[in-house]
Amino acid sequence: ADDRMGLYAHAEAFAALVAVGVVPLGAALKTVTALISGAGDGVGGGGGTTAPAAAAVAAAGGPLAGAPGRPGAVTTRAAGLTLMGKMAEMCGGRLRDAAAGGDADGGVAEGLEELRTVLEGVTEEEFAYDVDYIVDSLGWGEEGLEVGVGG
């Protein structure tokens, strides 16, 4: 079981920076999508850490990539889902508006589509709540998006 307690404050700070516009929404989506896809830690594929993913890991307090199954290891997927959960909570309205009304915020519509695709590949039981929370927060649940454990 991953211990993400230490990540919540970092995730909230990251989401707050996105909410006030210090971190562009499109760039934040690219970062969390790269983390959720597992770039660099052997979870969910990925061939190496991207620059935005590495920056997010550094901002979150250091190397989070751990061997899957290592007790106490926080994987990049866990970090990305935690960050995205806080972003969905704090920036959900902006994300929904950007998706619905075209893209006035640099790459948000494309970033959301990529996020949807990546979330469809998250099948680990331990992340089912995270995926459901993100999907519901972004209003995708009403569209019948088949993601998470059990579809």
Side-chain angles (χ1 to χ4, degrees):
D2 290 334
D3 180 12
R4 295 189 270 171
M5 291 303 294
L7 187 57
Y8 292 129
H10 297 291
E12 193 156 332
F14 181 75
L17 291 173
V18 175
V20 298
V22 173
V23 175
L25 198 49
L29 281 171
K30 285 182 184 178
T31 298
V32 297
T33 300
L35 289 168
I36 294 167
S37 73
D41 78 350
V43 176
T49 303
T50 62
V57 170
L64 298 175
R70 189 179 86 202
V74 177
T75 65
T76 55
R77 176 166 284 175
L81 287 166
T82 305
L83 290 170
M84 190 61 227
K86 280 296 180 183
M87 280 178 52
E89 177 184 323
M90 297 176 78
C91 311
R94 277 183 60 204
L95 288 164
R96 286 188 300 275
D97 291 347
D103 186 18
D105 201 350
V108 175
E110 294 87 352
L112 286 170
E113 282 306 309
E114 187 174 345
L115 175 65
R116 280 177 85 132
T117 301
V118 168
L119 287 176
E120 289 171 351
V122 177
T123 58
E124 296 92 342
E125 184 78 34
E126 67 193 282
F127 300 134
Y129 173 83
D130 300 87
V131 172
D132 288 344
Y133 181 82
I134 293 165
V135 166
D136 289 346
S137 295
L138 297 179
W140 292 339
E142 297 122 36
E143 299 172 23
L145 182 67
E146 296 288 327
V147 299
V149 177

